Amino acid sequence: MIGFLVVLAIVAVLVIVTLAKSVRVVQQQTVGIVERFGKYKTGLQPGLNLLTPFVDKVRYTIDMREQVVSFPPQGVITEDNLMVSIDSVIYFQVNDPVRATYEISNYIQAIEQLTMTTLRNIIGGMDLEQTLTSREEINEKLRYVLDEATGKWGIRVNRVELRSIDPPPSIQDSMEKQMRADRDKRAAILTAEGMRQSAVLSAEGQKQSAILTAQGDKESRILRAQAEREARILKAQGEAQAITTVFNAIHAGKPDQGLLAYQYLQMLPSIAQGDSNKLWIIPSEIGKAMEGLGSAVGQIAGIPQKAEGNWQAPEISDASATPEVEGGVQDKAVAEADNAVQEAIAAAQSAAVSGRTAPAPAPSTSPEHTLPQAEPPLER
């Protein structure tokens, strides 16, 4: 009984082991490499797979997803003999698990070593400046070389990135100084350009201000000149009207010798007010002198003994009704004013000529018109 139980247990164990060796579950995006007696037989696809127990064996499990591998920084010498430290990241994917298993023992280590040698070859043909500014070019060259070399391993390199390129500390310090100097230079240039633009704008503002000031001065002078011309025109018109009014008033009033005598008496105080008049002669018979003053003055040319004629009294116009002088009729107004003045002067001259040609009346012999001879003046 005990032997039967032992045999049964052994059979159960063998069944369990056989099932374990016969059934294999493979995950998604994973391929299992099956060997039979050490030789490749087939590849297990994702899902449930049955194997021949104790004959087939899953040697490797290959991940078919894209993988990312970063390599530690590596020292690389540039063309100008400067050591730079470069660390890179490789994105690759296994597209043939059989070749990736049997063509290369460790494809990750192989990719790392190939990346190092390729970087040294590429960076060795560039100087430091090109190395720092040609990342895209280096990435493309490195990806092309790696993809071509790993193609026979069943691996495709999708992308290569250089994470950092670190020059020596002394070079970094020099680069910082250079960048600082470059920025200071650009700042100085921008400051100079700002000052230049400010000066240009200030000059343009002063120019426009001067132009506007000159235009304002010009317009002001034009307006003052127009106002002065209008004032002269109005003054000339006023003088012409005044001369015409006085001329008509004198002739309308019919002046005679008595009026002239009265005017003479009115002028005597003015004559006596002079500072240089130290001696003044007064006739002894002032009464008779006054009576005969008209005959003593005599006949003045152009003034009759007695005013005759029909003279119309002038009409006094309203002073506020000043004729408007506008730009279009200013010259005409000036011409009319000049003509009026000339006519008034001509009328006065014609009146004076007619008075000279008239016969003078005989002087009166009446004693009341005879002035006594003045006494000799006193010496100063």
Side-chain angles (χ1 to χ4, degrees):
M1 185 65 183
I2 296 174
F4 177 75
L5 292 175
V6 172
V7 172
L8 184 61
I10 293 172
V11 171
V13 171
L14 289 175
V15 171
I16 293 173
V17 171
T18 302
L19 290 175
K21 294 290 185 178
S22 301
V23 178
R24 181 62 59 90
V25 177
V26 179
Q27 300 295 327
Q28 183 68 30
Q29 292 294 329
T30 306
V31 175
I33 303 300
V34 179
E35 293 181 353
R36 178 173 292 179
F37 302 112
K39 183 180 179 181
Y40 171 76
K41 180 181 181 296
T42 185
L44 299 180
Q45 299 299 320
L48 181 62
N49 296 274
L50 297 177
L51 301 175
T52 302
F54 307 106
V55 176
D56 296 338
K57 181 180 179 182
V58 178
R59 179 73 179 273
Y60 300 102
T61 300
I62 306 299
D63 192 351
M64 302 298 293
R65 294 174 297 179
E66 184 174 7
Q67 303 180 43
V68 180
V69 179
S70 61
F71 302 127
Q74 303 293 330
V76 182
I77 300 176
T78 62
E79 186 180 10
D80 49 357
N81 296 324
L82 291 175
M83 178 69 72
V84 293
S85 178
I86 300 177
D87 59 337
S88 58
V89 178
I90 307 297
Y91 297 82
F92 69 93
Q93 185 177 11
V94 177
N95 54 10
D96 190 347
V98 177
R99 297 173 66 182
T101 303
Y102 297 104
E103 295 293 337
I104 187 72
S105 61
N106 189 344
Y107 56 82
I108 294 179
Q109 185 179 4
I111 292 174
E112 180 181 3
Q113 297 299 323
L114 183 61
T115 302
M116 292 175 56
T117 56
T118 306
L119 274 176
R120 289 174 181 174
N121 186 24
I122 295 174
I123 300 301
M126 296 181 178
D127 56 13
L128 179 61
E129 189 71 21
Q130 291 177 345
T131 303
L132 296 175
T133 58
S134 303
R135 286 175 177 261
E136 292 295 333
E137 182 181 355
I138 296 173
N139 292 337
E140 187 64 26
K141 288 182 179 180
L142 186 59
R143 190 201 67 81
Y144 177 77
V145 173
L146 291 177
D147 187 50
E148 184 180 4
T150 59
K152 62 181 181 178
W153 302 338
I155 297 173
R156 183 182 64 186
V157 178
N158 297 326
R159 191 172 182 182
V160 179
E161 292 291 340
L162 299 182
R163 281 197 303 188
S164 63
I165 301 176
D166 298 327
S170 60
I171 301 300
Q172 291 184 5
D173 187 30
S174 300
M175 291 172 61
E176 290 178 359
K177 291 182 180 179
Q178 181 180 1
M179 292 176 61
R180 191 179 300 111
D182 187 32
R183 291 180 180 178
D184 293 340
K185 175 184 176 182
R186 285 184 291 177
I189 292 174
L190 292 176
T191 302
E193 289 180 354
M195 294 177 63
R196 181 176 64 85
Q197 292 179 0
S198 176
V200 170
L201 293 177
S202 299
E204 289 181 354
Q206 293 178 359
K207 175 184 176 182
Q208 294 179 358
S209 176
I211 292 173
L212 293 177
T213 302
Q215 290 178 352
D217 189 14
K218 174 185 175 182
E219 294 177 359
S220 176
R221 290 184 180 181
I222 291 174
L223 292 176
R224 285 198 297 269
Q226 291 178 353
E228 185 178 357
R229 181 173 64 175
E230 292 176 1
R232 289 182 179 180
I233 291 172
L234 294 176
K235 183 177 179 181
Q237 290 179 350
E239 291 179 355
Q241 187 176 1
I243 292 173
T244 303
T245 302
V246 172
F247 184 79
N248 292 336
I250 291 174
H251 289 79
K254 297 179 180 181
D256 53 7
Q257 296 296 329
L259 178 61
L260 292 178
Y262 177 74
Q263 292 292 330
Y264 177 74
L265 291 177
Q266 292 291 327
M267 291 298 298
L268 287 178
S270 299
I271 297 173
Q273 289 178 359
D275 295 337
S276 61
N277 295 335
K278 304 300 182 180
L279 181 62
W280 177 249
I281 302 174
I282 301 176
S284 59
E285 297 179 358
I286 187 65
K288 292 182 179 180
M290 294 300 177
E291 294 176 356
L293 185 58
S295 60
V297 172
Q299 298 291 332
I300 298 176
I303 305 298
Q305 184 69 24
K306 185 177 181 180
E308 295 179 357
N310 187 12
W311 300 92
Q312 183 180 0
E315 296 180 0
I316 306 226
S317 61
D318 188 3
S320 62
T322 305
E324 296 182 356
V325 180
E326 298 182 354
V329 296
Q330 291 178 354
D331 296 336
K332 183 178 179 181
V334 174
E336 292 179 356
D338 293 338
N339 293 334
V341 173
Q342 296 297 329
E343 290 177 359
I345 295 174
Q349 291 179 354
S350 62
V353 171
S354 62
R356 289 192 188 96
T357 56
S364 176
T365 58
S366 175
E368 60 183 1
H369 292 287
T370 304
L371 290 176
Q373 295 182 356
E375 295 180 0
L378 297 176
E379 297 181 357
R380 296 177 59 181

